[in-house]
Amino acid sequence: MRNPEGDPAQVSQEALVERVLRSTASVQAVRPLYQPIVDLRTGSIVGAEALARWPHAPGVDPSLVIERSRALGRVSEVDRACRNAALDTVTGLGYLDDGMTIFVNVEPDALIERPPESGNIFDTSTKGLRVVLELTERALLGDPAQLLNVVADARRRGLGIALDDVGRNADSLTLLSLIAPDVVKLDGALIAGPPGHEQLHIIMAVSAYAEATGAVILAEGIETEAHRQRAVDIGATLGQGWLLGKPADLPPTRWPPVPAPRRVHLTDKPLHIPSKPSEMLDADPPRTATRAVLVRYSRYFEDQALASGEPLTILANFQRAEHFSAADAQRYGELAASNSLVAVVAVDMPTEPAPAVRGTAIPGDHPLAREWTVIVLGRHFFAALIASDPGPADKPDRKFTYAITHDRLTVVAAARALLQHLG
């Protein structure tokens, strides 16, 4: 729903956006175009991305329409009109038996509201059409807990997940494992020229994720043969760009054309989200330690994070806000200054307990109030301290059951468990 080709009417973007949002009928006048997604090994078309267009506002930037509609409280209306138009066009042409995969840009906050009478993208999974939801890095960092719930719901209903524009914000790569996209769409800047040092970091992180999960790498912005070759060289198997096909109407006959397409790999596994991190405590026999010992372990993890040269996601559960000391606030503030997501949970925790640190307050009887967790995720580094408090709280020498793990799958699952309670 992005990437407009320009403004042929030479009208300001502000005026074009206003033209789109003038009325509900105007919003619903969206007419999508479709840009082919191509297998770089065979040249066959494997699907298409739906791009929103409004014929009565030629050249309008759809991302500005979304931005303005969010400010007006109309993002659900606009997002729903775009995705419904994208899918209705395809299903109306009867392409369901051809292995068609349609990539549809969505706004996670709009998907939370799904009025039955207005259509529902999640219902398409029962009609034979293969749908991949495209999410942006901005959505990851804006409300990761909400996004996690949307992804889990989509997975249960058989939809695929793509992460769009990867590479614009290197910090968000730490969240790749949490969202577990089927397709990682690399920003066109990564293939525009020979990669620099930071771009190589991004490419290697994505390659490591794809190797560990079987995800597909798709390179965007392929406009020349040199772009296509660079995409292949960095491990992309799918591509998208003007060299491979411009956005256009779908033909009224069978699509895609021969040769027969390779199907885009979509996982059939649900997103595993434990209800709480302690579900990952499976040591036999369990390890135990006092609070004083766990404090030393926690600070070791935090010091390792401060010394790390790579972007990290740091999540922690302090049980109660009084356990988040002034020294803790200083350390977590330092971590937040150089990392995109640093969040803490506890009973009575303020919304910003330290500069740029996201705080979430939980009720006193919440299950997390009986747990102590510190989780650090990097591009290649995974570590977690997970402890369960046996109580009572007035017994300072009580022994906690705990585990320390560097296993990627265990750390990621524990992080999802904590992440779903943020906000």
Side-chain angles (χ1 to χ4, degrees), residues 273-315:
I273 307 178
S275 62
K276 52 185 180 178
S278 64
E279 286 187 18
M280 311 309 296
L281 288 172
D282 58 359
D284 186 22
R287 301 163 70 181
T288 61
T290 62
R291 173 174 289 277
V293 171
L294 294 183
V295 166
R296 289 198 292 271
Y297 289 157
S298 296
R299 290 184 177 170
Y300 173 78
F301 274 25
E302 294 155 5
D303 289 343
Q304 289 290 101
L306 284 168
S308 173
E310 63 172 315
L312 300 169
T313 293
I314 300 97
L315 308 173

Short mmCIF file of all heavy atoms in Angstrom, two decimals, residues 273-315:
data_model
loop_
_atom_site.label_atom_id
_atom_site.label_comp_id
_atom_site.label_asym_id
_atom_site.label_seq_id
_atom_site.Cartn_x
_atom_site.Cartn_y
_atom_site.Cartn_z
N ILE A 273 3.64 -18.46 22.69
CA ILE A 273 3.70 -17.39 23.68
C ILE A 273 3.30 -17.98 25.03
O ILE A 273 2.11 -18.15 25.32
CB ILE A 273 2.76 -16.23 23.33
CG1 ILE A 273 3.03 -15.73 21.91
CG2 ILE A 273 2.95 -15.09 24.32
CD1 ILE A 273 2.10 -14.61 21.48
N PRO A 274 4.26 -18.32 25.89
CA PRO A 274 3.91 -18.81 27.23
C PRO A 274 3.15 -17.73 28.00
O PRO A 274 3.30 -16.54 27.74
CB PRO A 274 5.28 -19.10 27.87
CG PRO A 274 6.25 -19.16 26.73
CD PRO A 274 5.71 -18.25 25.69
N SER A 275 2.35 -18.14 28.96
CA SER A 275 1.60 -17.16 29.74
C SER A 275 2.51 -16.36 30.66
O SER A 275 2.20 -15.22 31.03
CB SER A 275 0.51 -17.86 30.55
OG SER A 275 1.09 -18.77 31.47
N LYS A 276 3.65 -16.94 31.05
CA LYS A 276 4.61 -16.24 31.89
C LYS A 276 5.97 -16.89 31.70
O LYS A 276 6.08 -18.08 31.34
CB LYS A 276 4.19 -16.29 33.36
CG LYS A 276 3.90 -17.69 33.89
CD LYS A 276 3.38 -17.64 35.32
CE LYS A 276 3.09 -19.06 35.83
NZ LYS A 276 2.62 -19.04 37.23
N PRO A 277 7.06 -16.14 31.92
CA PRO A 277 8.40 -16.68 31.68
C PRO A 277 8.71 -17.94 32.48
O PRO A 277 9.45 -18.81 32.00
CB PRO A 277 9.32 -15.53 32.09
CG PRO A 277 8.50 -14.31 31.85
CD PRO A 277 7.11 -14.70 32.23
N SER A 278 8.17 -18.09 33.69
CA SER A 278 8.52 -19.25 34.53
C SER A 278 8.06 -20.57 33.93
O SER A 278 8.50 -21.63 34.39
CB SER A 278 7.93 -19.09 35.93
OG SER A 278 6.52 -19.08 35.89
N GLU A 279 7.20 -20.53 32.91
CA GLU A 279 6.85 -21.77 32.23
C GLU A 279 8.07 -22.42 31.58
O GLU A 279 8.05 -23.60 31.27
CB GLU A 279 5.78 -21.52 31.17
CG GLU A 279 4.39 -21.26 31.73
CD GLU A 279 3.33 -21.19 30.65
OE1 GLU A 279 3.60 -21.67 29.53
OE2 GLU A 279 2.25 -20.66 30.92
N MET A 280 9.11 -21.63 31.39
CA MET A 280 10.34 -22.14 30.78
C MET A 280 11.27 -22.76 31.83
O MET A 280 12.35 -23.25 31.48
CB MET A 280 11.07 -21.02 30.03
CG MET A 280 10.18 -20.20 29.11
SD MET A 280 9.19 -21.21 27.98
CE MET A 280 10.47 -21.99 27.01
N LEU A 281 10.88 -22.74 33.11
CA LEU A 281 11.69 -23.36 34.16
C LEU A 281 11.47 -24.87 34.15
O LEU A 281 10.48 -25.36 34.67
CB LEU A 281 11.31 -22.79 35.53
CG LEU A 281 11.74 -21.35 35.83
CD1 LEU A 281 11.12 -20.88 37.13
CD2 LEU A 281 13.26 -21.25 35.91
N ASP A 282 12.39 -25.59 33.55
CA ASP A 282 12.21 -27.04 33.47
C ASP A 282 13.45 -27.81 33.93
O ASP A 282 13.63 -28.97 33.61
CB ASP A 282 11.85 -27.45 32.04
CG ASP A 282 12.91 -27.02 31.03
OD1 ASP A 282 13.90 -26.40 31.43
OD2 ASP A 282 12.72 -27.32 29.83
N ALA A 283 14.35 -27.11 34.66
CA ALA A 283 15.55 -27.79 35.15
C ALA A 283 15.17 -28.89 36.14
O ALA A 283 14.26 -28.74 36.93
CB ALA A 283 16.48 -26.78 35.83
N ASP A 284 15.87 -29.99 36.08
CA ASP A 284 15.58 -31.13 36.95
C ASP A 284 16.90 -31.68 37.49
O ASP A 284 17.67 -32.28 36.76
CB ASP A 284 14.84 -32.21 36.17
CG ASP A 284 14.38 -33.35 37.07
OD1 ASP A 284 14.26 -33.11 38.28
OD2 ASP A 284 14.14 -34.44 36.54
N PRO A 285 17.17 -31.51 38.81
CA PRO A 285 16.33 -30.80 39.79
C PRO A 285 16.46 -29.29 39.61
O PRO A 285 17.45 -28.82 39.04
CB PRO A 285 16.93 -31.25 41.13
CG PRO A 285 18.38 -31.49 40.81
CD PRO A 285 18.39 -32.07 39.42
N PRO A 286 15.48 -28.51 40.08
CA PRO A 286 15.54 -27.06 39.91
C PRO A 286 16.68 -26.45 40.72
O PRO A 286 17.05 -26.94 41.78
CB PRO A 286 14.18 -26.58 40.42
CG PRO A 286 13.72 -27.68 41.35
CD PRO A 286 14.27 -28.94 40.77
N ARG A 287 17.25 -25.35 40.19
CA ARG A 287 18.29 -24.62 40.91
C ARG A 287 17.61 -23.60 41.81
O ARG A 287 16.56 -23.06 41.49
CB ARG A 287 19.21 -23.91 39.90
CG ARG A 287 19.88 -24.87 38.94
CD ARG A 287 20.45 -24.17 37.73
NE ARG A 287 21.59 -23.34 38.04
CZ ARG A 287 22.25 -22.60 37.13
NH1 ARG A 287 21.85 -22.61 35.88
NH2 ARG A 287 23.29 -21.88 37.49
N THR A 288 18.23 -23.34 42.95
CA THR A 288 17.67 -22.35 43.88
C THR A 288 18.76 -21.38 44.31
O THR A 288 19.95 -21.71 44.32
CB THR A 288 17.08 -23.03 45.13
OG1 THR A 288 18.12 -23.73 45.81
CG2 THR A 288 15.95 -23.98 44.75
N ALA A 289 18.32 -20.16 44.66
CA ALA A 289 19.26 -19.14 45.13
C ALA A 289 18.48 -18.08 45.89
O ALA A 289 17.28 -17.90 45.68
CB ALA A 289 20.00 -18.51 43.95
N THR A 290 19.16 -17.37 46.75
CA THR A 290 18.54 -16.27 47.50
C THR A 290 18.44 -15.03 46.62
O THR A 290 19.07 -14.94 45.55
CB THR A 290 19.36 -15.93 48.74
OG1 THR A 290 20.66 -15.47 48.32
CG2 THR A 290 19.51 -17.14 49.64
N ARG A 291 17.68 -14.04 47.08
CA ARG A 291 17.55 -12.79 46.34
C ARG A 291 18.91 -12.14 46.13
O ARG A 291 19.18 -11.59 45.04
CB ARG A 291 16.62 -11.83 47.08
CG ARG A 291 16.55 -10.44 46.47
CD ARG A 291 15.51 -9.57 47.15
NE ARG A 291 14.16 -10.01 46.82
CZ ARG A 291 13.52 -9.66 45.71
NH1 ARG A 291 14.11 -8.91 44.80
NH2 ARG A 291 12.29 -10.07 45.50
N ALA A 292 19.78 -12.17 47.13
CA ALA A 292 21.09 -11.53 47.01
C ALA A 292 21.89 -12.11 45.85
O ALA A 292 22.56 -11.39 45.11
CB ALA A 292 21.86 -11.66 48.32
N VAL A 293 21.83 -13.43 45.69
CA VAL A 293 22.56 -14.08 44.59
C VAL A 293 21.95 -13.68 43.25
O VAL A 293 22.66 -13.38 42.29
CB VAL A 293 22.53 -15.61 44.77
CG1 VAL A 293 23.09 -16.30 43.53
CG2 VAL A 293 23.32 -16.01 46.01
N LEU A 294 20.62 -13.66 43.17
CA LEU A 294 19.97 -13.30 41.92
C LEU A 294 20.23 -11.85 41.53
O LEU A 294 20.30 -11.53 40.34
CB LEU A 294 18.46 -13.56 42.02
CG LEU A 294 18.05 -15.03 42.17
CD1 LEU A 294 16.53 -15.15 42.19
CD2 LEU A 294 18.63 -15.88 41.05
N VAL A 295 20.37 -10.98 42.53
CA VAL A 295 20.73 -9.59 42.23
C VAL A 295 22.08 -9.53 41.52
O VAL A 295 22.26 -8.79 40.54
CB VAL A 295 20.76 -8.74 43.52
CG1 VAL A 295 21.46 -7.40 43.28
CG2 VAL A 295 19.34 -8.51 44.03
N ARG A 296 23.04 -10.33 41.99
CA ARG A 296 24.36 -10.34 41.34
C ARG A 296 24.25 -10.85 39.91
O ARG A 296 24.88 -10.31 39.00
CB ARG A 296 25.34 -11.19 42.16
CG ARG A 296 25.75 -10.55 43.48
CD ARG A 296 27.00 -11.18 44.04
NE ARG A 296 26.78 -12.56 44.47
CZ ARG A 296 26.38 -12.92 45.67
NH1 ARG A 296 26.13 -11.99 46.59
NH2 ARG A 296 26.22 -14.19 45.98
N TYR A 297 23.47 -11.91 39.70
CA TYR A 297 23.27 -12.43 38.34
C TYR A 297 22.62 -11.39 37.45
O TYR A 297 23.03 -11.18 36.29
CB TYR A 297 22.40 -13.68 38.38
CG TYR A 297 23.04 -14.92 38.96
CD1 TYR A 297 22.27 -15.94 39.49
CD2 TYR A 297 24.42 -15.07 38.98
CE1 TYR A 297 22.84 -17.09 40.02
CE2 TYR A 297 25.02 -16.20 39.51
CZ TYR A 297 24.21 -17.22 40.04
OH TYR A 297 24.79 -18.35 40.56
N SER A 298 21.59 -10.73 37.98
CA SER A 298 20.89 -9.72 37.18
C SER A 298 21.83 -8.60 36.76
O SER A 298 21.83 -8.17 35.60
CB SER A 298 19.72 -9.13 37.97
OG SER A 298 18.76 -10.12 38.26
N ARG A 299 22.63 -8.13 37.70
CA ARG A 299 23.53 -7.03 37.38
C ARG A 299 24.62 -7.47 36.41
O ARG A 299 25.10 -6.66 35.60
CB ARG A 299 24.12 -6.46 38.67
CG ARG A 299 23.06 -5.71 39.47
CD ARG A 299 23.59 -5.05 40.70
NE ARG A 299 22.52 -4.30 41.36
CZ ARG A 299 22.62 -3.77 42.57
NH1 ARG A 299 23.75 -3.88 43.26
NH2 ARG A 299 21.60 -3.10 43.09
N TYR A 300 25.01 -8.72 36.48
CA TYR A 300 25.98 -9.23 35.50
C TYR A 300 25.38 -9.15 34.10
O TYR A 300 26.03 -8.69 33.15
CB TYR A 300 26.37 -10.67 35.83
CG TYR A 300 27.22 -11.31 34.76
CD1 TYR A 300 28.58 -11.00 34.66
CD2 TYR A 300 26.67 -12.18 33.82
CE1 TYR A 300 29.37 -11.56 33.67
CE2 TYR A 300 27.46 -12.75 32.83
CZ TYR A 300 28.80 -12.43 32.76
OH TYR A 300 29.58 -12.98 31.78
N PHE A 301 24.12 -9.58 33.94
CA PHE A 301 23.45 -9.51 32.64
C PHE A 301 23.36 -8.06 32.16
O PHE A 301 23.60 -7.75 30.99
CB PHE A 301 22.05 -10.10 32.73
CG PHE A 301 22.00 -11.59 32.54
CD1 PHE A 301 23.09 -12.39 32.80
CD2 PHE A 301 20.84 -12.20 32.08
CE1 PHE A 301 23.05 -13.77 32.64
CE2 PHE A 301 20.78 -13.58 31.90
CZ PHE A 301 21.88 -14.36 32.19
N GLU A 302 23.00 -7.16 33.08
CA GLU A 302 22.85 -5.75 32.71
C GLU A 302 24.19 -5.14 32.33
O GLU A 302 24.29 -4.36 31.37
CB GLU A 302 22.21 -5.00 33.87
CG GLU A 302 20.78 -5.43 34.15
CD GLU A 302 20.33 -5.19 35.57
OE1 GLU A 302 21.10 -4.59 36.35
OE2 GLU A 302 19.20 -5.61 35.92
N ASP A 303 25.26 -5.51 33.05
CA ASP A 303 26.59 -5.02 32.71
C ASP A 303 27.05 -5.54 31.36
O ASP A 303 27.68 -4.82 30.58
CB ASP A 303 27.60 -5.43 33.79
CG ASP A 303 27.39 -4.67 35.09
OD1 ASP A 303 26.70 -3.63 35.07
OD2 ASP A 303 27.90 -5.14 36.13
N GLN A 304 26.73 -6.81 31.06
CA GLN A 304 27.05 -7.37 29.74
C GLN A 304 26.32 -6.61 28.65
O GLN A 304 26.88 -6.35 27.58
CB GLN A 304 26.66 -8.85 29.70
CG GLN A 304 27.53 -9.77 30.52
CD GLN A 304 28.92 -9.92 29.94
OE1 GLN A 304 29.87 -9.29 30.40
NE2 GLN A 304 29.04 -10.73 28.90
N ALA A 305 25.08 -6.26 28.91
CA ALA A 305 24.30 -5.50 27.93
C ALA A 305 24.90 -4.12 27.71
O ALA A 305 24.99 -3.63 26.57
CB ALA A 305 22.85 -5.39 28.37
N LEU A 306 25.33 -3.46 28.80
CA LEU A 306 25.94 -2.14 28.67
C LEU A 306 27.24 -2.18 27.89
O LEU A 306 27.58 -1.25 27.15
CB LEU A 306 26.21 -1.55 30.07
CG LEU A 306 25.00 -1.00 30.81
CD1 LEU A 306 25.34 -0.71 32.27
CD2 LEU A 306 24.48 0.27 30.14
N ALA A 307 27.98 -3.29 28.02
CA ALA A 307 29.27 -3.42 27.34
C ALA A 307 29.14 -3.92 25.91
O ALA A 307 30.10 -3.89 25.14
CB ALA A 307 30.18 -4.37 28.13
N SER A 308 27.96 -4.39 25.54
CA SER A 308 27.77 -4.95 24.21
C SER A 308 27.85 -3.87 23.15
O SER A 308 27.38 -2.75 23.33
CB SER A 308 26.41 -5.65 24.13
OG SER A 308 26.13 -6.06 22.80
N GLY A 309 28.41 -4.23 22.02
CA GLY A 309 28.49 -3.29 20.91
C GLY A 309 27.35 -3.43 19.93
O GLY A 309 27.31 -2.72 18.92
N GLU A 310 26.41 -4.33 20.19
CA GLU A 310 25.31 -4.55 19.24
C GLU A 310 23.99 -4.06 19.82
O GLU A 310 23.83 -3.99 21.05
CB GLU A 310 25.19 -6.03 18.90
CG GLU A 310 24.85 -6.93 20.07
CD GLU A 310 24.54 -8.36 19.63
OE1 GLU A 310 23.80 -8.54 18.66
OE2 GLU A 310 25.06 -9.29 20.28
N PRO A 311 23.03 -3.69 18.97
CA PRO A 311 21.72 -3.29 19.48
C PRO A 311 21.05 -4.44 20.22
O PRO A 311 21.16 -5.60 19.82
CB PRO A 311 20.94 -2.94 18.20
CG PRO A 311 21.98 -2.67 17.17
CD PRO A 311 23.12 -3.58 17.51
N LEU A 312 20.36 -4.11 21.29
CA LEU A 312 19.74 -5.13 22.13
C LEU A 312 18.30 -4.77 22.45
O LEU A 312 17.90 -3.60 22.40
CB LEU A 312 20.51 -5.27 23.44
CG LEU A 312 21.98 -5.67 23.37
CD1 LEU A 312 22.63 -5.50 24.74
CD2 LEU A 312 22.14 -7.09 22.88
N THR A 313 17.52 -5.77 22.81
CA THR A 313 16.24 -5.59 23.46
C THR A 313 16.38 -6.11 24.88
O THR A 313 16.83 -7.24 25.07
CB THR A 313 15.13 -6.36 22.71
OG1 THR A 313 14.92 -5.76 21.43
CG2 THR A 313 13.82 -6.34 23.50
N ILE A 314 16.04 -5.30 25.86
CA ILE A 314 16.18 -5.69 27.27
C ILE A 314 14.80 -5.60 27.91
O ILE A 314 14.15 -4.55 27.89
CB ILE A 314 17.18 -4.79 28.03
CG1 ILE A 314 18.57 -4.88 27.39
CG2 ILE A 314 17.25 -5.21 29.49
CD1 ILE A 314 18.89 -3.78 26.43
N LEU A 315 14.35 -6.72 28.47
CA LEU A 315 13.06 -6.79 29.16
C LEU A 315 13.30 -7.32 30.56
O LEU A 315 14.08 -8.26 30.75
CB LEU A 315 12.11 -7.74 28.41
CG LEU A 315 11.92 -7.50 26.91
CD1 LEU A 315 11.10 -8.63 26.30
CD2 LEU A 315 11.25 -6.17 26.66
#
